[in-house]
mmCIF file of all heavy atoms in Angstrom:
data_model
loop_
_atom_site.group_PDB
_atom_site.id
_atom_site.type_symbol
_atom_site.label_atom_id
_atom_site.label_comp_id
_atom_site.label_asym_id
_atom_site.label_seq_id
_atom_site.Cartn_x
_atom_site.Cartn_y
_atom_site.Cartn_z
ATOM 1 N N GLY A 69 20.780 -26.296 9.245
ATOM 2 C CA GLY A 69 22.164 -25.924 9.517
ATOM 3 C C GLY A 69 22.804 -25.195 8.349
ATOM 4 O O GLY A 69 23.536 -24.212 8.529
ATOM 5 N N LEU A 70 22.531 -25.662 7.140
ATOM 6 C CA LEU A 70 23.063 -24.992 5.948
ATOM 7 C C LEU A 70 22.504 -23.581 5.821
ATOM 8 O O LEU A 70 23.241 -22.639 5.514
ATOM 9 C CB LEU A 70 22.729 -25.806 4.692
ATOM 10 C CG LEU A 70 23.495 -27.115 4.532
ATOM 11 C CD1 LEU A 70 22.825 -27.995 3.496
ATOM 12 C CD2 LEU A 70 24.942 -26.832 4.150
ATOM 13 N N SER A 71 21.223 -23.450 6.064
ATOM 14 C CA SER A 71 20.606 -22.125 6.012
ATOM 15 C C SER A 71 21.252 -21.182 7.017
ATOM 16 O O SER A 71 21.507 -20.011 6.735
ATOM 17 C CB SER A 71 19.109 -22.252 6.271
ATOM 18 O OG SER A 71 18.479 -21.007 6.209
ATOM 19 N N LYS A 72 21.542 -21.708 8.191
ATOM 20 C CA LYS A 72 22.201 -20.916 9.230
ATOM 21 C C LYS A 72 23.615 -20.519 8.789
ATOM 22 O O LYS A 72 24.047 -19.394 9.034
ATOM 23 C CB LYS A 72 22.247 -21.729 10.526
ATOM 24 C CG LYS A 72 22.557 -20.940 11.757
ATOM 25 C CD LYS A 72 22.392 -21.831 12.985
ATOM 26 C CE LYS A 72 22.489 -21.029 14.249
ATOM 27 N NZ LYS A 72 22.299 -21.857 15.442
ATOM 28 N N CYS A 73 24.334 -21.434 8.137
ATOM 29 C CA CYS A 73 25.679 -21.115 7.621
ATOM 30 C C CYS A 73 25.618 -19.963 6.629
ATOM 31 O O CYS A 73 26.420 -19.024 6.691
ATOM 32 C CB CYS A 73 26.305 -22.333 6.943
ATOM 33 S SG CYS A 73 26.856 -23.636 8.051
ATOM 34 N N PHE A 74 24.656 -20.027 5.707
ATOM 35 C CA PHE A 74 24.534 -18.960 4.712
ATOM 36 C C PHE A 74 24.110 -17.647 5.362
ATOM 37 O O PHE A 74 24.581 -16.575 4.991
ATOM 38 C CB PHE A 74 23.547 -19.360 3.607
ATOM 39 C CG PHE A 74 24.077 -20.421 2.690
ATOM 40 C CD1 PHE A 74 23.442 -21.634 2.552
ATOM 41 C CD2 PHE A 74 25.247 -20.208 1.957
ATOM 42 C CE1 PHE A 74 23.934 -22.608 1.716
ATOM 43 C CE2 PHE A 74 25.750 -21.184 1.114
ATOM 44 C CZ PHE A 74 25.091 -22.392 0.995
ATOM 45 N N SER A 75 23.236 -17.716 6.358
ATOM 46 C CA SER A 75 22.794 -16.517 7.060
ATOM 47 C C SER A 75 23.948 -15.859 7.810
ATOM 48 O O SER A 75 24.151 -14.636 7.732
ATOM 49 C CB SER A 75 21.666 -16.883 8.027
ATOM 50 O OG SER A 75 21.253 -15.769 8.752
ATOM 51 N N LYS A 76 24.722 -16.665 8.544
ATOM 52 C CA LYS A 76 25.889 -16.130 9.255
ATOM 53 C C LYS A 76 26.917 -15.584 8.261
ATOM 54 O O LYS A 76 27.544 -14.553 8.519
ATOM 55 C CB LYS A 76 26.537 -17.218 10.111
ATOM 56 C CG LYS A 76 25.800 -17.555 11.364
ATOM 57 C CD LYS A 76 26.570 -18.633 12.134
ATOM 58 C CE LYS A 76 25.938 -18.949 13.458
ATOM 59 N NZ LYS A 76 26.722 -19.956 14.195
ATOM 60 N N GLY A 77 27.074 -16.286 7.144
ATOM 61 C CA GLY A 77 28.012 -15.829 6.119
ATOM 62 C C GLY A 77 27.613 -14.485 5.546
ATOM 63 O O GLY A 77 28.453 -13.602 5.356
ATOM 64 N N ALA A 78 26.326 -14.317 5.268
ATOM 65 C CA ALA A 78 25.844 -13.034 4.739
ATOM 66 C C ALA A 78 26.052 -11.915 5.760
ATOM 67 O O ALA A 78 26.436 -10.799 5.411
ATOM 68 C CB ALA A 78 24.368 -13.136 4.363
ATOM 69 N N LYS A 79 25.831 -12.230 7.030
ATOM 70 C CA LYS A 79 26.043 -11.236 8.079
ATOM 71 C C LYS A 79 27.515 -10.838 8.139
ATOM 72 O O LYS A 79 27.842 -9.651 8.273
ATOM 73 C CB LYS A 79 25.591 -11.785 9.428
ATOM 74 C CG LYS A 79 25.653 -10.789 10.558
ATOM 75 C CD LYS A 79 25.076 -11.374 11.839
ATOM 76 C CE LYS A 79 25.113 -10.349 12.953
ATOM 77 N NZ LYS A 79 24.560 -10.902 14.205
ATOM 78 N N SER A 80 28.411 -11.815 8.030
ATOM 79 C CA SER A 80 29.846 -11.521 8.042
ATOM 80 C C SER A 80 30.243 -10.655 6.858
ATOM 81 O O SER A 80 30.997 -9.686 6.998
ATOM 82 C CB SER A 80 30.662 -12.818 8.020
ATOM 83 O OG SER A 80 30.464 -13.538 9.208
ATOM 84 N N VAL A 81 29.714 -10.980 5.684
ATOM 85 C CA VAL A 81 30.029 -10.195 4.487
ATOM 86 C C VAL A 81 29.501 -8.773 4.641
ATOM 87 O O VAL A 81 30.151 -7.811 4.230
ATOM 88 C CB VAL A 81 29.457 -10.883 3.219
ATOM 89 C CG1 VAL A 81 29.536 -9.979 2.014
ATOM 90 C CG2 VAL A 81 30.199 -12.190 2.957
ATOM 91 N N SER A 82 28.327 -8.629 5.269
ATOM 92 C CA SER A 82 27.763 -7.290 5.439
ATOM 93 C C SER A 82 28.609 -6.421 6.361
ATOM 94 O O SER A 82 28.508 -5.202 6.349
ATOM 95 C CB SER A 82 26.333 -7.375 5.990
ATOM 96 O OG SER A 82 26.339 -7.692 7.365
ATOM 97 N N LYS A 83 29.462 -7.061 7.161
ATOM 98 C CA LYS A 83 30.356 -6.331 8.060
ATOM 99 C C LYS A 83 31.761 -6.213 7.488
ATOM 100 O O LYS A 83 32.683 -5.777 8.184
ATOM 101 C CB LYS A 83 30.409 -7.035 9.417
ATOM 102 C CG LYS A 83 29.092 -6.997 10.158
ATOM 103 C CD LYS A 83 29.205 -7.719 11.481
ATOM 104 C CE LYS A 83 27.883 -7.629 12.238
ATOM 105 N NZ LYS A 83 27.952 -8.308 13.531
ATOM 106 N N GLY A 84 31.920 -6.639 6.216
ATOM 107 C CA GLY A 84 33.217 -6.521 5.559
ATOM 108 C C GLY A 84 34.184 -7.649 5.875
ATOM 109 O O GLY A 84 35.369 -7.559 5.578
ATOM 110 N N SER A 85 33.700 -8.724 6.467
ATOM 111 C CA SER A 85 34.554 -9.863 6.809
ATOM 112 C C SER A 85 34.379 -10.982 5.788
ATOM 113 O O SER A 85 33.461 -10.957 4.967
ATOM 114 C CB SER A 85 34.188 -10.411 8.185
ATOM 115 O OG SER A 85 34.321 -9.424 9.165
ATOM 116 N N ALA A 86 35.236 -11.989 5.880
ATOM 117 C CA ALA A 86 35.085 -13.178 5.043
ATOM 118 C C ALA A 86 33.818 -13.917 5.470
ATOM 119 O O ALA A 86 33.430 -13.875 6.644
ATOM 120 C CB ALA A 86 36.301 -14.079 5.202
ATOM 121 N N SER A 87 33.185 -14.595 4.536
ATOM 122 C CA SER A 87 31.900 -15.237 4.839
ATOM 123 C C SER A 87 32.029 -16.408 5.802
ATOM 124 O O SER A 87 31.176 -16.590 6.669
ATOM 125 C CB SER A 87 31.226 -15.719 3.550
ATOM 126 O OG SER A 87 31.901 -16.843 3.026
ATOM 127 N N GLY A 88 33.041 -17.233 5.662
ATOM 128 C CA GLY A 88 33.189 -18.409 6.509
ATOM 129 C C GLY A 88 32.210 -19.520 6.190
ATOM 130 O O GLY A 88 32.109 -20.494 6.937
ATOM 131 N N VAL A 89 31.494 -19.412 5.070
ATOM 132 C CA VAL A 89 30.479 -20.398 4.712
ATOM 133 C C VAL A 89 31.111 -21.767 4.464
ATOM 134 O O VAL A 89 30.609 -22.784 4.942
ATOM 135 C CB VAL A 89 29.660 -19.932 3.483
ATOM 136 C CG1 VAL A 89 28.770 -21.036 2.957
ATOM 137 C CG2 VAL A 89 28.825 -18.717 3.848
ATOM 138 N N ASP A 90 32.216 -21.799 3.720
ATOM 139 C CA ASP A 90 32.840 -23.081 3.409
ATOM 140 C C ASP A 90 33.267 -23.810 4.680
ATOM 141 O O ASP A 90 33.057 -25.014 4.813
ATOM 142 C CB ASP A 90 34.043 -22.881 2.478
ATOM 143 C CG ASP A 90 34.625 -24.200 2.027
ATOM 144 O OD1 ASP A 90 33.870 -24.997 1.425
ATOM 145 O OD2 ASP A 90 35.821 -24.446 2.293
ATOM 146 N N THR A 91 33.822 -23.089 5.625
ATOM 147 C CA THR A 91 34.232 -23.698 6.893
ATOM 148 C C THR A 91 33.018 -24.203 7.665
ATOM 149 O O THR A 91 33.031 -25.309 8.203
ATOM 150 C CB THR A 91 35.017 -22.682 7.749
ATOM 151 O OG1 THR A 91 36.138 -22.230 7.002
ATOM 152 C CG2 THR A 91 35.474 -23.288 9.054
ATOM 153 N N CYS A 92 31.977 -23.416 7.713
ATOM 154 C CA CYS A 92 30.758 -23.800 8.425
ATOM 155 C C CYS A 92 30.158 -25.082 7.836
ATOM 156 O O CYS A 92 29.675 -25.936 8.572
ATOM 157 C CB CYS A 92 29.738 -22.659 8.346
ATOM 158 S SG CYS A 92 28.196 -22.949 9.233
ATOM 159 N N ILE A 93 30.256 -25.226 6.537
ATOM 160 C CA ILE A 93 29.665 -26.386 5.875
ATOM 161 C C ILE A 93 30.592 -27.600 5.907
ATOM 162 O O ILE A 93 30.165 -28.709 6.200
ATOM 163 C CB ILE A 93 29.284 -26.045 4.421
ATOM 164 C CG1 ILE A 93 28.145 -25.019 4.411
ATOM 165 C CG2 ILE A 93 28.874 -27.298 3.651
ATOM 166 C CD1 ILE A 93 27.803 -24.481 3.048
ATOM 167 N N ASN A 94 31.875 -27.397 5.616
ATOM 168 C CA ASN A 94 32.776 -28.526 5.361
ATOM 169 C C ASN A 94 33.852 -28.779 6.406
ATOM 170 O O ASN A 94 34.675 -29.679 6.202
ATOM 171 C CB ASN A 94 33.460 -28.332 4.003
ATOM 172 C CG ASN A 94 32.460 -28.292 2.878
ATOM 173 O OD1 ASN A 94 31.635 -29.166 2.743
ATOM 174 N ND2 ASN A 94 32.530 -27.249 2.069
ATOM 175 N N ASP A 95 33.909 -28.031 7.486
ATOM 176 C CA ASP A 95 34.957 -28.235 8.482
ATOM 177 C C ASP A 95 34.982 -29.707 8.923
ATOM 178 O O ASP A 95 33.930 -30.325 9.127
ATOM 179 C CB ASP A 95 34.711 -27.343 9.703
ATOM 180 C CG ASP A 95 35.827 -27.449 10.720
ATOM 181 O OD1 ASP A 95 36.933 -26.966 10.433
ATOM 182 O OD2 ASP A 95 35.576 -28.028 11.799
ATOM 183 N N ALA A 96 36.191 -30.253 9.053
ATOM 184 C CA ALA A 96 36.345 -31.677 9.354
ATOM 185 C C ALA A 96 35.742 -32.087 10.699
ATOM 186 O O ALA A 96 35.393 -33.246 10.892
ATOM 187 C CB ALA A 96 37.824 -32.055 9.314
ATOM 188 N N LYS A 97 35.613 -31.166 11.630
ATOM 189 C CA LYS A 97 35.058 -31.510 12.947
ATOM 190 C C LYS A 97 33.680 -30.904 13.203
ATOM 191 O O LYS A 97 32.813 -31.536 13.776
ATOM 192 C CB LYS A 97 36.006 -31.067 14.059
ATOM 193 C CG LYS A 97 37.289 -31.870 14.098
ATOM 194 C CD LYS A 97 38.129 -31.497 15.289
ATOM 195 C CE LYS A 97 39.401 -32.341 15.302
ATOM 196 N NZ LYS A 97 40.255 -32.024 16.437
ATOM 197 N N LYS A 98 33.499 -29.651 12.790
ATOM 198 C CA LYS A 98 32.262 -28.951 13.137
ATOM 199 C C LYS A 98 31.360 -28.641 11.951
ATOM 200 O O LYS A 98 30.291 -28.068 12.127
ATOM 201 C CB LYS A 98 32.601 -27.641 13.854
ATOM 202 C CG LYS A 98 33.256 -27.830 15.194
ATOM 203 C CD LYS A 98 33.460 -26.504 15.882
ATOM 204 C CE LYS A 98 34.096 -26.681 17.247
ATOM 205 N NZ LYS A 98 34.253 -25.418 17.949
ATOM 206 N N GLY A 99 31.768 -28.992 10.745
ATOM 207 C CA GLY A 99 30.972 -28.679 9.562
ATOM 208 C C GLY A 99 29.633 -29.399 9.564
ATOM 209 O O GLY A 99 29.537 -30.564 9.960
ATOM 210 N N VAL A 100 28.582 -28.718 9.126
ATOM 211 C CA VAL A 100 27.242 -29.312 9.151
ATOM 212 C C VAL A 100 27.143 -30.511 8.211
ATOM 213 O O VAL A 100 26.458 -31.491 8.527
ATOM 214 C CB VAL A 100 26.132 -28.272 8.846
ATOM 215 C CG1 VAL A 100 26.033 -27.238 9.947
ATOM 216 C CG2 VAL A 100 26.323 -27.606 7.508
ATOM 217 N N LEU A 101 27.830 -30.448 7.086
ATOM 218 C CA LEU A 101 27.811 -31.578 6.158
ATOM 219 C C LEU A 101 28.584 -32.765 6.743
ATOM 220 O O LEU A 101 28.146 -33.913 6.641
ATOM 221 C CB LEU A 101 28.410 -31.147 4.818
ATOM 222 C CG LEU A 101 27.965 -31.863 3.564
ATOM 223 C CD1 LEU A 101 26.456 -31.940 3.461
ATOM 224 C CD2 LEU A 101 28.527 -31.187 2.331
ATOM 225 N N THR A 102 29.695 -32.489 7.387
ATOM 226 C CA THR A 102 30.485 -33.541 8.043
ATOM 227 C C THR A 102 29.663 -34.227 9.126
ATOM 228 O O THR A 102 29.660 -35.457 9.233
ATOM 229 C CB THR A 102 31.765 -32.934 8.651
ATOM 230 O OG1 THR A 102 32.469 -32.223 7.643
ATOM 231 C CG2 THR A 102 32.650 -33.982 9.253
ATOM 232 N N LYS A 103 28.961 -33.444 9.922
ATOM 233 C CA LYS A 103 28.121 -34.004 10.985
ATOM 234 C C LYS A 103 26.983 -34.846 10.389
ATOM 235 O O LYS A 103 26.635 -35.899 10.926
ATOM 236 C CB LYS A 103 27.542 -32.891 11.854
ATOM 237 C CG LYS A 103 28.563 -32.229 12.748
ATOM 238 C CD LYS A 103 27.907 -31.124 13.562
ATOM 239 C CE LYS A 103 28.906 -30.410 14.450
ATOM 240 N NZ LYS A 103 28.262 -29.332 15.224
ATOM 241 N N TYR A 104 26.418 -34.381 9.287
ATOM 242 C CA TYR A 104 25.331 -35.116 8.633
ATOM 243 C C TYR A 104 25.824 -36.493 8.180
ATOM 244 O O TYR A 104 25.175 -37.507 8.439
ATOM 245 C CB TYR A 104 24.780 -34.324 7.449
ATOM 246 C CG TYR A 104 23.808 -35.107 6.603
ATOM 247 C CD1 TYR A 104 22.490 -35.283 7.018
ATOM 248 C CD2 TYR A 104 24.194 -35.702 5.405
ATOM 249 C CE1 TYR A 104 21.590 -36.015 6.254
ATOM 250 C CE2 TYR A 104 23.306 -36.429 4.645
ATOM 251 C CZ TYR A 104 22.005 -36.579 5.074
ATOM 252 O OH TYR A 104 21.119 -37.314 4.323
ATOM 253 N N PHE A 105 26.965 -36.512 7.497
ATOM 254 C CA PHE A 105 27.495 -37.783 7.005
ATOM 255 C C PHE A 105 27.780 -38.741 8.164
ATOM 256 O O PHE A 105 27.524 -39.941 8.072
ATOM 257 C CB PHE A 105 28.760 -37.572 6.171
ATOM 258 C CG PHE A 105 28.510 -36.886 4.856
ATOM 259 C CD1 PHE A 105 29.360 -35.895 4.419
ATOM 260 C CD2 PHE A 105 27.436 -37.230 4.056
ATOM 261 C CE1 PHE A 105 29.151 -35.265 3.203
ATOM 262 C CE2 PHE A 105 27.206 -36.609 2.837
ATOM 263 C CZ PHE A 105 28.070 -35.617 2.407
ATOM 264 N N ALA A 106 28.301 -38.221 9.265
ATOM 265 C CA ALA A 106 28.588 -39.050 10.431
ATOM 266 C C ALA A 106 27.301 -39.625 11.025
ATOM 267 O O ALA A 106 27.253 -40.795 11.425
ATOM 268 C CB ALA A 106 29.347 -38.240 11.482
ATOM 269 N N LYS A 107 26.247 -38.817 11.104
ATOM 270 C CA LYS A 107 24.979 -39.287 11.652
ATOM 271 C C LYS A 107 24.349 -40.358 10.762
ATOM 272 O O LYS A 107 23.838 -41.362 11.263
ATOM 273 C CB LYS A 107 23.995 -38.123 11.822
ATOM 274 C CG LYS A 107 24.244 -37.281 13.042
ATOM 275 C CD LYS A 107 24.099 -38.064 14.308
ATOM 276 C CE LYS A 107 22.720 -37.892 14.877
ATOM 277 N NZ LYS A 107 22.550 -38.494 16.189
#
Side-chain angles (χ1 to χ4, degrees):
L70 289 164
S71 181
K72 195 173 189 179
C73 287
F74 288 120
S75 178
K76 285 181 176 182
K79 185 175 181 180
S80 294
V81 169
S82 75
K83 294 179 178 180
S85 301
S87 72
V89 170
D90 186 58
T91 303
C92 182
I93 293 173
N94 299 308
D95 184 70
K97 291 186 179 180
K98 294 184 179 182
V100 293
L101 207 50
T102 306
K103 288 179 181 179
Y104 171 78
F105 291 137
K107 281 298 264 187

